[in-house]
Amino acid sequence: MDSDDKDKAFPSDGISKSLKSFDIHTPIYILTVVFAVIFIIGPLLVRKGPNKEIVRCGIMLTAFSMWIFWVTVYIGQMNPLVGPRLNNTTLAWIAYAWGKPAKTETL
Amino acid sequence: MGAMFRSEEMALCQLFIQPEAAYTSVSELGEAGTVQFRDLNPDVNAFQRKFVNEVRRCDEMERKLRYIEAEVHKDGVHVPSVKEPPRAPNPREIIDLEAHLEKTENEILELSHNAVNLKQNYLELTELRHVLEKTEAFFVAQEEFGMDSLTKSLISDEQGQQAAARGRLGFVAGVVQRERVPAFERMLWRISRGNVFLRRAELDKPLEDPTTGNEIYKTVFVAFFQGEQLKSRIKKVCTGFHASLYPCPPSNTERQDMVKGVRTRLEDLNMVLNQTRDHRQRVLISVAKELPSWSIMVRKMKAIYHTLNLFNMDVTKKCLIGECWVPTADLPNVQKALADGSNACGSSIPSFLNCIETDEEPPTFNRTNRFTRGFQNLIDAYGVASYRECNPALYTIITFPFLFAVMFGDLGHGLIMAMFGGWMVLKEVSLAAKKSNNEIWNIFFAGRYIILLMGCFSMYTGLVYNDIFSKSMNIFGSSWFVPYDNHTLESAAAFTLDPKDSYTDIPYFIGVDPIWQTADNKIIFLNSYKMKLSIIFGVVHMIFGVCMSVVNYNFFKRRYSIVLEFLPQVIFLCLLFLYMVFMMFYKWVAYSTFSPDLAYQQGCAPSVLILFINMMLFSSNEPEEGCKEFMFDSQGTIQRVFVLVALCCIPVMLLGKPLYLLSASKKKKDVKPEQSNGSVNQGIEMQEQTDIGDGEHPKPEAKSSGGGGHGGHDEEPFSEIMIHQAIHTIEYVLSTISHTASYLRLWALSLAHAELSEVLWNMVLTFGLKDHDYIGAIKLYVAFCFWALFTLAILVMMEGLSAFLHTLRLHWVEFMSKFYQGLGYIFQPFCFKTILEQEEKED
């Protein structure tokens, strides 16, 4: 891919490279299927009763709204155009705490 | 479809009831609570109606019951609440009840009267006793004084002898209220020119006033004077000051005897008083047990007679006729109630029910249970749905809490709200039985299911916003990492991570990435994201609203409106705003820092808003170096086509329906002469009798059940239709843009909530989290107290109410204005339960 401008020897680089084989669209497919199942199969599982239609309507609306909420967040973060701006102390702590410590030797 | 999809079908029915069975039948109907009676005697005075005497009897019984209730409460007797409300009494029971009430009332009146008399006696005797006891001291002193004055002649000899000759000092003894003593003394001084000698002693214990029961402090006094004239003057002053005078024998022995006599009489009187009180207590307790059920029975009776007053007596005086609205599904229940009523009174001729056709718009009835009632009330507060219109309450059950949650999104606050709602729901039986008078609590309790759902959805949106009490959770591992080394980090105070270097290209699985919580430019990212989210939700919600109108047009058989109104409306909305939503998604997907094409990298991403404005204005922007103006090829042409088609929809919206109706009415005129459809308010003529005797009513026209109320359209002149349609069109077109922008409040409120939450944490709770020693524990305790208080008061309560209000507005205005008529009137059945509840609330 775009390895020409990535000329750094960071261990994270390798991780990110290998994980790039991970299709970022997979979670969309998975969760869409999950919510679609709830949307379609859920109403069929409702017991008979005076409120059957209300429960069915409720399940369908819930599944749809929850899915659209999630899918918007996911797609919105899929290709970020700006990154977060953090203090150097926060960055150091994040690097330490999240398992990708900053290198100590200088470039 | 289902229960709440649209309001129930109603039928106008005539009831023919035998006069003997009328009372019991109406009683059964009241217990069933499924019919709404119409007044068949609207121009008859309330005092001239048929059953006015019975209503008077009920009023009289109610008065007696109120008196008895007041007496019961005065004595603090416990009134047990009735478990199951009793049925209305039949005529025999009514007579018994009346007699019983009269007897009880008289008994209580007599007891009260006697008690007052006895207490008066008791008071007089007590005062007399006090007078006798207190004046002991005075007389002893006075006797000495008198004796001494005679023997020692403290006054000059001749005067003393004269005084002795003239006689001893006379006196009056009595009791006066303590507050009046100074004025009393002054008055005595004035009238006697200082020749009255007053001795007084205050009574320590207050005495009970027999009529009012108040406790009054009194003073015993003895006024010594000389001469008969003074005596009469003093007596007049005493009456003026409401002082009670008592005969007090001057000699000691007589006084002692009197005191003993008074004491024994007092004890006897006390015993009698106690016995009276016990008797009264017993009577009241025995009455109190039956009091609530009696009062319910009398109220039901009164309601039945008021309802019977709405009936009409037919000419042959053989049966009572009533008109009522009944839900079609409940017709068997009504027939059963009528049959029960006839059986209960042993009437041989059964009552029957006859459904009639009418042009009038029936009332709107939605059958609700305790869960759906709250949501139905939210919709009815705006306007009751027209008859058989689509009921938005069905969708409000989910969309209302969800839109609330978009504005409230915080896992912690949502949890608090869900727990509060859950507690109210789990304990609803015991909480409902308490019947509180606190209006705020009643409102919260009535909306318990709404609060529970709002809390649950808020937990979901809080999870997705990744916000729990203003902190983020890192469940799935952040997608961002730090590419710098320590040396680089030391060189500057802050760094903006570039997605090229720091992004792992695996988006955070569920929700907003936790790295944004600590970022300085968090607002920039969240603003862009939340604004787009609000527009997406808004457009989806509004398209849903517009699509609801299809259901209404289809049901009311105005299929032409589907092509002439719905189609242009939805095309206009979709081509412009759904396209904007599409552009948002496309920009998110197409533009990336890892894209090989320079035009699709982050520096070249165009603003969706600018693209939209340019689209509407048919203008264009010069793109930057190496960037493209549009996001995909032929976007320019597509946009132009969309705008032109959307603009073409406007004249269709404006002229389509009026021209169609014009041509349709012309066709009707050509085919057959126009029938008069009759006015909207028609009287109903009985099909059994030929004349009623009070005025002629035109024959009703049978119309199809779906036509109700809309036949009038054909009568409207073309200009009216045109004006209405012009207003609708302008309203709709302008509302597409204004309502879409209005949905941005979803963004605004969630931003405000997040900021408040963060400020509260950073300013209040961090105060207690920074110390390392034991003092820190105390600081944390205090800080947590304030933080929790403000969280509950400001963030949960105030923000919750605010978001509730805004969600309500979004539903009422932005969603329901797309399809809702809301011109109906609500079905108010004759139901004992509602009548009793209303009266209790008034009490």
Side-chain angles (χ1 to χ4, degrees):
Chain A
M1 266 176 94
D2 43 333
S3 46
D4 12 325
D5 46 328
K6 285 205 165 191
D7 204 18
K8 303 175 185 112
F10 278 99
S12 52
D13 199 40
I15 298 172
S16 66
K17 270 217 183 106
S18 66
L19 285 171
K20 275 205 173 60
S21 57
F22 168 81
D23 184 10
I24 56 173
H25 301 113
T26 317
I28 301 184
Y29 301 142
I30 299 175
L31 277 185
T32 305
V33 166
V34 167
F35 279 115
V37 161
I38 302 176
F39 186 84
I40 299 173
I41 312 288
L44 300 174
L45 298 175
V46 180
R47 277 175 301 177
K48 264 179 88 70
N51 298 322
K52 194 162 84 143
E53 307 296 338
I54 301 176
V55 176
R56 275 190 176 168
C57 198
I59 292 179
M60 289 179 11
L61 279 172
T62 311
F64 180 72
S65 348
M66 284 170 81
W67 170 74
I68 237 197
F69 198 68
W70 171 80
V71 99
T72 312
V73 179
Y74 190 85
I75 295 183
Q77 287 192 116
M78 234 165 50
N79 296 317
L81 300 177
V82 288
R85 188 182 130 92
L86 298 150
N87 294 335
N88 52 357
T89 44
T90 317
L91 282 170
W93 174 251
I94 287 174
Y96 169 73
W98 287 355
K100 301 185 181 106
K103 272 185 65 162
T104 47
E105 64 249 37
T106 63
L107 266 172
Chain B
M1 238 193 148
M4 273 180 83
F5 185 64
R6 53 165 47 99
S7 66
E8 295 210 4
E9 197 180 334
M10 309 290 286
L12 184 63
C13 297
Q14 275 182 321
L15 302 172
F16 295 85
I17 311 183
Q18 302 307 310
E20 313 90 60
Y23 179 83
T24 40
S25 306
V26 174
S27 164
E28 291 290 329
L29 287 174
E31 297 287 336
T34 51
V35 307
Q36 176 180 340
F37 285 102
R38 280 161 39 126
D39 192 357
L40 290 178
N41 311 314
D43 34 354
V44 176
N45 195 347
F47 297 106
Q48 290 165 353
R49 299 211 181 203
K50 194 170 178 300
F51 293 94
V52 71
N53 287 332
E54 278 79 3
V55 175
R56 277 211 195 102
R57 272 169 74 192
C58 293
D59 274 336
E60 185 60 30
M61 281 202 274
E62 269 191 337
R63 185 196 61 79
K64 293 195 182 121
L65 272 173
R66 268 197 302 267
Y67 171 71
I68 298 176
E69 237 174 295
E71 292 296 313
V72 163
H73 280 144
K74 221 200 288 185
D75 273 23
V77 178
H78 169 66
V79 177
S81 57
V82 68
K83 288 196 192 42
E84 214 190 283
R87 303 184 75 96
N90 60 41
R92 244 176 303 123
E93 291 172 6
I94 297 177
I95 300 175
D96 285 342
L97 186 61
E98 265 184 319
H100 206 127
L101 277 177
E102 175 123 13
K103 187 171 86 81
T104 316
E105 190 205 10
N106 287 340
E107 212 177 324
I108 297 182
L109 266 174
E110 215 181 296
L111 280 172
S112 304
H113 205 70
N114 287 350
V116 167
N117 284 345
L118 285 172
K119 283 207 186 113
Q120 186 72 33
N121 279 354
Y122 187 79
L123 181 74
E124 283 175 7
L125 282 176
T126 318
E127 286 179 351
L128 179 57
R129 193 192 76 196
H130 280 130
V131 163
L132 289 173
E133 284 169 3
K134 295 280 182 202
T135 52
E136 278 283 328
F138 302 159
F139 285 130
V140 164
Q142 195 257 12
E143 268 177 26
E144 289 179 0
F145 181 71
M147 291 299 179
D148 284 352
S149 70
L150 283 176
T151 53
K152 286 187 191 166
S153 300
L154 289 172
I155 40 184
S156 66
D157 277 356
E158 49 192 65
Q159 278 181 323
Q161 284 176 8
Q162 277 177 359
R166 240 174 280 153
R168 303 172 54 120
L169 289 175
F171 68 94
V172 285
V175 174
V176 73
Q177 276 191 23
R178 210 180 273 185
E179 299 97 49
R180 299 194 179 150
V181 165
F184 185 58
E185 258 196 274
R186 240 175 305 154
M187 184 59 85
L188 283 178
W189 186 262
R190 280 198 205 127
I191 55 138
S192 60
R193 297 198 196 103
N195 285 330
V196 161
F197 175 52
L198 187 74
R199 295 280 314 258
R200 50 187 153 74
E202 294 187 342
L203 294 177
D204 308 316
K205 285 192 349 180
L207 300 169
E208 192 192 341
D209 182 30
T211 38
T212 59
N214 294 338
E215 306 218 307
I216 310 176
Y217 286 94
K218 295 203 174 170
T219 308
V220 173
F221 68 90
V222 179
F224 295 98
F225 57 87
Q226 215 177 23
E228 284 305 311
Q229 265 200 340
L230 264 182
K231 183 174 190 176
S232 56
R233 276 196 216 159
I234 291 175
K235 281 207 172 137
K236 275 197 204 138
V237 170
C238 288
T239 24
F241 276 86
H242 296 289
S244 359
L245 291 176
Y246 294 101
C248 199
S251 71
N252 206 2
T253 44
E254 277 182 47
R255 260 207 310 278
Q256 298 293 349
D257 291 337
M258 206 175 194
V259 168
K260 270 191 228 131
V262 165
R263 284 218 180 98
T264 38
R265 276 166 67 194
L266 268 176
E267 278 168 23
D268 290 340
L269 205 55
N270 220 349
M271 207 167 59
V272 174
L273 264 176
N274 285 338
Q275 279 178 346
T276 313
R277 206 174 298 139
D278 287 341
H279 183 50
R280 183 186 147 97
Q281 197 82 351
R282 259 176 284 130
V283 167
L284 287 177
I285 288 178
S286 70
V287 163
K289 274 189 277 219
E290 309 187 33
L291 206 56
S293 75
W294 282 349
S295 107
I296 289 178
M297 291 204 294
V298 170
R299 279 196 213 136
K300 284 190 179 178
M301 248 175 79
K302 198 162 163 198
I304 293 176
Y305 281 119
H306 275 305
T307 310
L308 282 174
N309 273 336
L310 303 176
F311 278 48
N312 207 351
M313 182 66 116
D314 80 342
V315 184
T316 62
K317 302 248 183 277
K318 287 235 186 79
C319 73
L320 279 172
I321 305 163
E323 256 180 39
C324 55
W325 289 109
V326 187
T328 320
D330 280 334
L331 277 173
N333 291 351
V334 174
Q335 282 170 334
K336 180 172 169 303
L338 285 177
D340 284 344
S342 299
N343 289 342
C345 117
S347 166
S348 52
I349 311 168
S351 326
F352 61 93
L353 180 93
N354 181 28
C355 288
I356 40 185
E357 306 269 353
T358 173
D359 249 356
E360 281 187 50
E361 193 184 344
T364 312
F365 176 52
N366 284 307
R367 217 176 283 266
T368 53
N369 55 24
R370 61 190 178 188
F371 175 71
T372 52
R373 191 169 304 131
F375 299 99
Q376 188 66 49
N377 284 344
L378 284 180
I379 302 298
D380 285 344
Y382 180 65
V384 178
S386 306
Y387 178 61
R388 297 230 95 196
E389 184 183 36
C390 252
N391 185 12
L394 179 60
Y395 316 107
T396 309
I397 295 179
I398 296 294
T399 57
F400 186 92
F402 195 82
L403 287 183
F404 173 90
V406 173
M407 292 196 247
F408 195 73
D410 188 311
L411 189 62
H413 303 145
L415 184 65
I416 295 175
M417 195 173 254
M419 286 202 303
F420 178 52
W423 168 73
M424 282 198 288
V425 168
L426 286 175
K427 292 258 178 282
E428 63 181 351
V429 178
S430 54
L431 286 173
K434 280 201 196 141
K435 289 199 212 304
S436 151
N437 273 339
N438 189 352
E439 228 182 280
I440 296 183
W441 164 253
N442 283 339
I443 293 178
F444 277 140
F445 185 68
R448 56 195 181 278
Y449 286 102
I450 307 179
I451 294 179
L452 176 63
L453 279 180
M454 292 197 303
C456 292
F457 277 117
S458 297
M459 294 210 295
Y460 174 72
T461 55
L463 181 71
V464 174
Y465 282 154
N466 215 345
D467 187 349
I468 171 167
F469 295 121
S470 87
K471 297 292 161 200
S472 284
M473 302 180 287
N474 188 0
I475 307 176
F476 305 102
S478 174
S479 321
W480 298 80
F481 58 91
V482 181
Y484 311 116
D485 62 351
N486 275 352
H487 178 80
T488 332
L489 284 179
E490 281 168 24
S491 63
F495 289 86
T496 304
L497 299 179
D498 194 342
K500 245 197 311 253
D501 311 324
S502 322
Y503 183 60
T504 60
D505 211 20
I506 305 168
Y508 194 70
F509 185 45
I510 293 184
V512 173
D513 199 295
I515 199 164
W516 289 104
Q517 188 55 40
T518 43
D520 292 334
N521 60 350
K522 154 173 85 160
I523 304 271
I524 299 179
F525 167 72
L526 281 182
N527 274 2
S528 151
Y529 159 64
K530 282 184 181 174
M531 280 171 130
K532 290 183 179 150
L533 178 76
S534 313
I535 301 291
I536 293 169
F537 265 109
V539 171
V540 169
H541 204 208
M542 286 198 292
I543 292 180
F544 184 45
V546 176
C547 293
M548 290 307 300
S549 63
V550 180
V551 183
N552 277 340
Y553 292 147
N554 187 31
F555 181 79
F556 289 117
K557 304 215 182 351
R558 288 190 289 152
R559 298 224 168 82
Y560 60 87
S561 279
I562 299 182
V563 177
L564 297 170
E565 279 188 273
F566 162 73
L567 215 52
Q569 281 178 346
V570 83
I571 288 176
F572 187 83
L573 191 57
C574 286
L575 286 187
L576 295 180
F577 293 94
L578 198 59
Y579 174 68
M580 184 160 80
V581 169
F582 163 76
M583 277 203 286
M584 288 177 197
F585 275 104
Y586 192 83
K587 180 177 166 185
W588 273 337
V589 171
Y591 287 82
S592 157
T593 43
F594 304 119
S595 170
D597 189 354
L598 186 65
Y600 285 102
Q601 285 190 355
Q602 69 213 74
C604 280
S607 157
V608 171
L609 190 59
I610 303 289
L611 278 178
F612 186 71
I613 294 175
N614 286 342
M615 169 173 111
M616 298 298 291
L617 296 179
F618 287 103
S619 70
S620 68
N621 267 352
E622 252 326 297
E624 285 188 23
E625 193 61 44
C627 299
K628 288 196 217 154
E629 187 195 351
F630 292 122
M631 294 197 286
F632 53 90
D633 295 330
S634 67
Q635 183 179 3
T637 13
I638 291 181
Q639 280 183 179
R640 253 174 248 135
V641 168
F642 278 0
V643 175
L644 286 172
V645 173
L647 286 177
C648 288
C649 289
I650 299 182
V652 177
M653 273 191 258
L654 182 63
L655 298 170
K657 183 169 141 187
L659 289 178
Y660 173 84
L661 287 175
L662 193 64
S663 69
S665 69
K666 271 209 198 105
K667 247 189 264 170
K668 242 204 234 169
K669 270 203 195 114
D670 295 338
V671 168
K672 56 188 168 211
E674 208 166 283
Q675 291 180 358
S676 76
N677 288 333
S679 57
V680 180
N681 287 324
Q682 281 185 359
I684 304 300
E685 189 194 40
M686 283 191 327
Q687 291 163 3
E688 312 294 312
Q689 315 283 120
T690 44
D691 64 277
I692 296 178
D694 50 334
E696 319 81 42
H697 306 275
K699 271 205 182 303
E701 196 102 29
K703 278 198 84 111
S704 60
S705 61
H710 292 284
H713 262 292
D714 301 337
E715 298 284 326
E716 273 185 52
F718 179 70
S719 55
E720 288 272 328
I721 303 176
M722 196 61 227
I723 291 177
H724 278 302
Q725 199 58 30
I727 295 175
H728 282 313
T729 307
I730 296 175
E731 219 182 344
Y732 181 79
V733 169
L734 292 181
S735 80
T736 50
I737 184 67
S738 79
H739 290 174
T740 309
S742 177
Y743 273 95
L744 284 173
R745 69 187 70 221
L746 294 174
W747 155 66
L749 259 89
S750 79
L751 177 70
H753 190 95
E755 286 300 298
L756 272 176
S757 184
E758 195 180 320
V759 159
L760 200 58
W761 182 285
N762 289 342
M763 298 280 162
V764 178
L765 199 58
T766 44
F767 167 71
L769 288 173
K770 289 205 171 126
D771 282 355
H772 296 283
D773 49 3
Y774 293 108
I775 304 290
I778 302 176
K779 276 179 156 181
L780 181 59
Y781 188 79
V782 174
F784 179 79
C785 168
F786 280 104
W787 177 82
L789 192 70
F790 284 132
T791 298
L792 284 178
I794 298 180
L795 286 169
V796 177
M797 193 62 70
M798 187 190 84
E799 278 286 316
L801 283 174
S802 170
F804 183 93
L805 185 71
H806 283 285
T807 314
L808 202 58
R809 179 253 154 73
L810 279 179
H811 275 79
W812 282 355
V813 179
E814 274 77 16
F815 176 57
M816 279 159 50
S817 69
K818 302 280 184 294
F819 67 97
Y820 195 60
Q821 296 293 321
L823 296 171
Y825 61 102
I826 199 154
F827 179 64
Q828 287 168 314
F830 173 62
C831 177
F832 286 139
K833 213 154 56 112
T834 31
I835 294 175
L836 291 172
E837 270 171 25
Q838 252 180 340
E839 294 199 3
E840 260 186 49
K841 235 188 272 184
E842 278 167 29
D843 290 341

